[in-house]
């Protein structure tokens, strides 16, 4: 080997080493752009989630009562701006209830628990605010049946009239006349213990008075008092005070309306027939009384009124805007365990779980105190939060591996909205959804969203021999080899009793359009994908259905009847931004409102077929637009005889030679792609990217542009 050759080899090796170093350096630089950086963004230790709250037109989720229990018991705490005071304990597995101490229709007082429960059940048939309360009166145990948690005496009075006219307590002997019960009362005491207060309440009850033990904060501690009476206003309190004094309670006073308290009622509503009382804490609407329930052990808290789901953290009960408010305060990361578990599939790739975790954390952090006494709510108005039962190991791992990470722009957490499925392309917010300049949202970018369609069969849209139309799944049909006179294929049914559906989906609770037997020949009108979150066709809607739905949202009412409905504008992604009813544009506000305005469509990436709209040219060349031009339609058969079109379906050949099913009166069929508003990350798209090997940072930066992923302080 010559010296020159040796030098060449050495140079070549040097070049290789240099190239390798450059490649490593490039990899390091590339990696550094994807690293999570630490920043000043603060992720709190806990988050407040409202289950029930009344914020007027902004958000309402209402309940008259909240029922809690925990496997290891509960500790109750009275909270005020300065401190928290122990308010007692609830035994393991024992329920405790909370309600607003408002106005109620008092329908019955009886010594017969069975009769009280019978009346309760009648009221519960149309109200979720019915109660049976146990008291001691005149030496007897009595049961009062009430309905309502009303904010005014007038509302309770109207309810009382309704229930009285309905005769719900008819035939049951009552110890008092039906009346309005309210939160006005006289106060006796104070007492050192609950037992002493209960004894005093029983003594007052034996004098024929309604009396309840109550908790009251005084000088940084909680004491017990007795609240006597359930009056609808203050006018009866002076006379009531005299009655209390006559019963031996000379210290009775009329409390100021703003003094905080919570009354303790013996509630029989849950376990009345079993005679197992439950304590109900009645919280006043005026003072800022807040009761907090914390699990005594490591278990969660079951909230009956939220589908009996169990949640981590504590529950706070208060009254806000004359309604009971229930707020869950929970560790931030543990909150995300449930959110990620509820929002995406438990078996989805880990990188999709991590992308969802960062998006959900960013969204929640950007919400601030968006719900007055809470950061977020538990529904998809914020993001789905369904408790411990929706947690899974994969979701928890995704949260833990991204702990504290948020997407930011300009040093602030972004409002990282996401949806289930973008239908193949994300939305443009400025034009298509809610408006505004959200510069962190990628607009109208392709998204691999067809995952829900994988493994599903196609369906055929067919005409039956009876003239009816509907959908049959492809595995229940075969090609007959025969052709209809129109040129369309005849398909043969392969199973007895085959269901013909109104849309390409099996819904067990919906009766089929028809059932057909083996060997039946049907005419193929079309072939579509099975109904899914990616591709869907809804049941035909009638003009009346759509008119009702549209007029709930339309800024100006649409005058019926509804004859035509068409798409008149689309945005950059193809989503509908304007529709016209009877040729007049319909204003429903933000573009995404069209989903609700059209009977809760899955997305605004849709088309509408008007089965009752078509153009006819007769033998004389006269053009007629249906349904704009009214009048009956006549057809002439091959034998020269004429007749009216059938009332349901008729079949026309269109200008392209295709057979089309039409109706003689308007019907509207919506078909489309995607599920949700389509902004930001598509969850199904994130799954597909993860399956293709992309990491969570790539996924997030694909759907959210010009953002940083930072580790919260």
């Amino acid at each position: 080997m010559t010296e020159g050759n040796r030098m060449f080899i050495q140079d070549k090796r040097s070049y290789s080493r240099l190239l390798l170093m450059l490649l490593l350096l490039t990899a390091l630089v590339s990696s550094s752009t994807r690293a999570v950086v630490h920043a000043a963004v603060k992720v709190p230790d806990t988050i407040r989630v409202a289950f029930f709250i009344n914020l007027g037109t902004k958000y309402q989720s209402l309940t008259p009562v909240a029922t809690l229990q925990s496997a290891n018991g509960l500790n109750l705490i009275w909270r005020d701006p300065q401190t928290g005071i122990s308010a007692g304990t609830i035994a393991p597995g024992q329920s405790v209830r909370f309600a607003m101490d408002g106005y109620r229709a008092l329908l019955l007082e009886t010594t017969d628990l069975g009769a009280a429960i019978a009346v309760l059940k009648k009221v519960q048939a149309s109200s979720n605010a019915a109660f049976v309360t146990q008291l001691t009166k005149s030496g007897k145990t009595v049961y009062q049946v009430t309905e309502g948690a009303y904010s005014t005496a007038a509302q309770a009075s109207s309810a009382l009239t309704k229930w009285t006219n309905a005769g719900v307590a008819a035939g049951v002997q009552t110890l008092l006349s039906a009346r309005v019960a309210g939160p006005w009362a006289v106060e006796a005491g104070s007492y050192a213990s609950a037992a002493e207060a209960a004894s005093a309440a029983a003594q007052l009850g034996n004098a024929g008075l309604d009396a309840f033990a109550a908790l009251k904060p005084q000088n940084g501690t909680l004491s017990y008092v007795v609240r006597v009476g359930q009056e609808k206003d203050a006018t009866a309190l002076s006379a009531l005070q005299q009655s209390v004094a006559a019963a031996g309670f000379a210290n009775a006073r009329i409390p100021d309306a703003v003094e905080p308290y919570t009354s303790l009622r013996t509630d029989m509503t849950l376990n009345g027939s079993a005679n197992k009382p439950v304590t109900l804490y009645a919280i006043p609407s005026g003072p800022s009384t807040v009761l907090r329930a914390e699990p005594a052990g490591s278990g969660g808290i079951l909230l009956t009124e939220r589908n009996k789901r169990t949640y981590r953290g504590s529950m706070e009960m208060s009254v806000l805007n004359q309604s009971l408010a229930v707020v869950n305060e929970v560790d931030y990361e543990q909150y995300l365990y449930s959110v990620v578990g509820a929002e995406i599939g438990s078996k989805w790739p880990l990188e999709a779980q991590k992308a969802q975790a960062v998006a959900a954390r960013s969204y929640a952090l950007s919400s601030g105190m968006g719900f007055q006494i809470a950061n977020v709510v538990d529904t998809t108005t914020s993001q789905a939060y369904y408790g411990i039962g929706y947690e899974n190991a994969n979701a928890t791992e995704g949260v833990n591996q991204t702990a504290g990470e948020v997407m930011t722009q300009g040093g602030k957490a972004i409002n990282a909205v996401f949806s289930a499925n973008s239908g193949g392309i994300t939305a443009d917010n400025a034009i298509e959804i809610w408006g505004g300049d959200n510069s962190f949202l990628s607009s109208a970018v392709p998204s691999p969203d067809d995952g829900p369609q994988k493994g599903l069969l196609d369906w055929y849209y067919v005409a039956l021999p009876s003239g009816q139309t509907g959908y049959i799944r492809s595995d229940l049909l075969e090609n007959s080899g025969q052709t209809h006179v129109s040129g369309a294929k005849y398909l043969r049914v392969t199973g007895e009793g085959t269901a013909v559906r109104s849309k390409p989906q099996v819904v067990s609770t919906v009766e089929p359009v028809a059932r057909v037997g083996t060997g039946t020949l049907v005419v193929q009108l079309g072939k579509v994908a099975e109904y899914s979150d990616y591709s869907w066709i809804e049941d035909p809607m009638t003009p009346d259905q759509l008119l009702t739905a549209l007029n709930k949202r339309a800024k100006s009412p649409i005058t019926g009847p509804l004859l035509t409905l068409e798409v008149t504008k689309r945005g950059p992604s193809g989503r509908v931004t304007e529709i016209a009813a009877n040729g007049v544009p319909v204003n429903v506000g933000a573009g995404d409102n069209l989903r609700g305005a059209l009977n809760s469509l899955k997305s605004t990436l849709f088309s509408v077929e008007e089965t009752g709209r078509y153009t006819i040219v007769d033998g004389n060349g006269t053009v007629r637009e249906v349904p704009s031009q009214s009048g009956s339609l006549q057809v002439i058969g091959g034998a020269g005889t004429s007749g009216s079109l059938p009332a349901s379906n008729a079949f026309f050949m269109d200008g392209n030679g295709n057979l089309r099913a039409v109706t003689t009166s308007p019907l509207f069929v919506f078909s489309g792609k995607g599920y949700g508003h389509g902004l930001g990350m598509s969850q199904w798209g994130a799954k597909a990217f993860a399956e293709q090997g992309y990491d969570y940072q790539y996924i997030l930066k694909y759907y959210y542009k010009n953002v940083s992923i930072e580790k919260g302080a």
Side-chain angles (χ1 to χ4, degrees):
M1 182 179 292
T2 65
E3 185 68 16
N5 285 338
R6 285 196 296 271
M7 290 180 62
F8 172 77
I9 292 171
Q10 289 173 349
D11 288 345
K12 186 174 181 180
R13 287 173 179 170
S14 299
Y15 175 79
S16 297
R17 286 195 294 270
L18 178 62
L19 179 59
L20 180 59
M21 290 178 65
L22 286 171
L23 287 173
L24 288 171
L25 183 59
T26 302
L28 287 170
V29 170
S30 175
S31 175
S32 69
T33 64
R34 305 177 71 78
V36 176
V37 297
H38 289 267
V41 176
K42 171 67 176 174
V43 178
D45 294 332
T46 61
I47 186 170
R48 294 175 61 82
V49 188
F51 294 114
F52 299 103
I53 194 168
N54 181 8
L55 297 180
T57 56
K58 178 179 179 179
Y59 184 82
Q60 280 191 344
S61 177
L62 306 180
T63 183
V65 63
T67 308
L68 308 181
Q69 66 172 261
S70 182
N72 296 312
L74 293 166
N75 295 321
L76 300 184
I77 298 169
W78 182 294
R79 288 197 61 184
D80 63 28
Q82 283 75 41
T83 186
I85 311 170
S86 175
T89 60
I90 306 299
Q94 175 68 44
S95 294
V96 61
R97 310 191 87 199
F98 302 85
M100 181 179 75
D101 192 13
Y103 297 89
R104 292 156 288 137
L106 202 167
L107 307 174
L108 175 72
E109 181 176 288
T110 178
T111 58
D112 185 345
L113 177 58
I117 296 300
V119 174
L120 172 78
K121 290 180 178 178
K122 290 180 182 179
V123 178
Q124 285 178 326
S126 54
S127 171
N128 66 345
F131 300 88
V132 175
T133 304
Q134 176 182 296
L135 300 89
T136 298
K137 290 182 72 174
S138 304
K140 300 177 181 178
T141 299
V142 301
Y143 306 94
Q144 293 181 348
V145 180
T146 61
E147 189 280 330
Y150 299 103
S151 59
T152 68
Q155 292 171 335
S157 180
S158 296
L160 181 66
T161 300
K162 180 185 76 172
W163 296 116
T164 302
N165 290 342
V168 292
V172 180
Q173 185 175 1
T174 182
L175 301 176
L176 52 75
S177 299
R179 65 180 178 86
V180 171
W184 297 88
V186 169
E187 183 181 293
S190 59
Y191 303 94
S193 69
E196 288 183 20
S199 177
Q203 184 180 341
L204 285 160
N206 285 331
L209 302 171
D210 292 354
F212 303 91
L215 282 169
K216 189 168 187 178
Q218 293 178 330
N219 302 319
T221 63
L222 278 181
S223 62
Y224 289 90
V225 297
V226 175
R227 289 181 64 84
V228 188
Q230 303 180 83
E231 306 307 316
K232 65 179 180 180
D233 55 43
T235 58
L237 295 186
S238 294
L240 182 59
Q241 184 181 22
Q242 294 177 16
S243 297
V244 174
F249 292 80
N251 65 344
R253 59 184 287 270
I254 299 174
D256 192 276
V258 297
E259 292 181 26
Y261 69 90
T262 181
S263 291
L264 308 181
R265 298 180 189 155
T266 302
D267 183 80
M268 306 298 293
T269 311
L270 291 181
N271 306 309
S273 58
N275 201 12
K276 294 180 179 179
V278 170
T279 301
L280 184 148
Y281 289 75
I283 302 171
S285 60
S288 55
T289 299
V290 179
L291 288 173
R292 184 184 184 104
E294 297 180 345
S298 59
I301 300 177
L302 184 149
L303 176 56
T304 298
E305 288 71 23
R306 262 307 190 242
N307 298 307
K308 296 184 177 180
R309 294 177 184 141
T310 300
Y311 297 87
R312 296 177 183 268
S314 63
M315 297 287 179
E316 281 189 5
M317 281 62 62
S318 62
V319 172
L320 179 67
N321 296 326
Q322 299 295 315
S323 298
L324 182 68
V326 181
V327 174
N328 177 211
E329 186 167 332
V330 59
D331 177 89
Y332 221 101
E333 301 300 308
Q334 291 178 350
Y335 158 74
L336 293 171
Y337 294 167
S338 177
V339 170
V340 176
E343 285 285 356
I344 63 175
S346 62
K347 296 183 179 180
W348 286 18
L350 180 58
E351 295 304 310
Q353 308 283 344
K354 290 158 72 174
Q356 180 65 66
V358 176
R361 190 182 294 108
S362 304
Y363 175 88
L365 188 59
S366 74
S367 298
M369 290 297 286
F371 293 86
Q372 195 167 333
I373 59 172
N375 305 105
V376 293
V377 295
D378 65 319
T379 68
T380 53
T381 296
S382 294
Q383 45 196 5
Y385 171 58
Y386 300 149
I388 294 173
Y390 280 74
E391 296 177 9
N392 63 75
N394 210 13
T396 299
E397 185 68 12
V399 174
N400 290 342
Q401 286 199 21
T402 62
E405 292 182 23
V406 294
M407 286 182 286
T408 65
Q409 189 178 81
K412 296 181 179 180
I414 67 167
N415 179 22
V417 293
F418 49 85
S419 65
N421 192 298
S422 295
I425 186 169
T426 64
D428 177 90
N429 187 47
I431 297 174
E432 296 176 334
I433 307 299
W434 301 309
D437 180 23
N438 291 330
S439 58
F440 55 82
L441 292 172
S442 296
S443 172
V445 298
S447 183
D449 293 323
D450 62 349
Q453 214 62 48
K454 293 177 180 177
L456 300 183
L457 296 171
D458 289 331
W459 289 60
Y460 286 102
Y461 182 46
V462 300
L464 307 183
S466 64
Q468 294 174 289
T469 60
Y471 296 89
I472 299 178
R473 205 172 57 205
S474 58
D475 62 331
L476 301 173
L477 295 167
E478 64 183 9
N479 190 350
S480 71
Q482 302 177 52
T483 304
H484 184 260
V485 65
S486 66
K489 289 182 180 179
Y490 271 120
L491 303 175
R492 182 182 293 109
V493 175
T494 59
E496 193 62 38
T498 293
V500 183
R501 306 281 179 179
S502 57
K503 62 182 179 182
Q505 181 186 30
V506 176
V507 182
S508 59
T509 56
V510 177
E511 280 298 307
V513 172
R515 290 189 181 275
V516 291
T518 303
T520 303
L521 293 180
V522 297
V523 179
Q524 178 183 336
L525 301 175
K527 186 178 182 182
V528 300
E530 183 166 333
Y531 189 104
S532 74
D533 286 352
Y534 175 68
S535 177
W536 45 267
I537 297 174
E538 298 293 355
D539 289 325
M541 298 186 198
T542 67
D544 288 345
Q545 286 175 318
L546 276 175
L547 192 63
T548 299
L550 282 167
N551 278 337
K552 288 179 181 178
R553 295 271 192 165
K555 305 293 184 183
S556 300
I558 302 162
T559 303
L562 182 65
L563 299 177
T564 64
L565 186 74
E566 57 192 322
V567 173
T568 48
K569 288 183 182 178
R570 294 185 183 271
S573 75
R575 284 169 170 77
V576 176
T577 58
E578 183 187 85
I579 58 171
N582 296 338
V584 179
V586 180
N587 181 6
V588 296
D592 194 55
N593 290 346
L594 282 170
R595 287 196 289 157
L598 294 170
N599 257 351
S600 300
L601 291 184
K602 293 173 80 72
S603 83
T604 54
L605 193 58
F606 68 82
S607 298
V608 57
E609 180 188 358
E610 303 171 272
T611 64
R613 186 174 185 180
Y614 36 89
T615 301
I616 298 174
V617 181
D618 66 17
N620 299 318
T622 303
V623 177
R624 179 174 171 184
E625 299 287 344
V626 179
S628 300
Q629 296 170 268
S630 59
S632 64
L633 294 175
Q634 300 290 316
V635 293
I636 299 176
T641 57
S642 64
S644 298
L645 281 177
S648 55
N649 286 311
F651 300 92
F652 288 180
M653 296 288 292
D654 66 18
N656 297 317
N658 298 317
L659 192 61
R660 178 189 171 201
V662 299
T663 54
T664 52
S665 58
L667 283 176
F668 305 91
V669 179
F670 292 87
S671 59
K673 293 286 185 71
Y675 185 19
H677 51 68
L679 285 175
M681 185 179 73
S682 166
Q683 291 167 326
W684 276 97
K687 176 180 184 288
F689 278 131
E691 289 170 341
Q692 294 168 23
Y694 293 100
D695 67 14
Y696 76 102
Q697 292 195 37
Y698 174 90
I699 294 168
L700 292 171
K701 291 182 178 181
Y702 182 84
Y703 288 109
Y704 308 98
K705 60 183 181 180
N706 304 320
V707 298
S708 298
I709 299 176
E710 302 182 355
K711 184 91 168 178

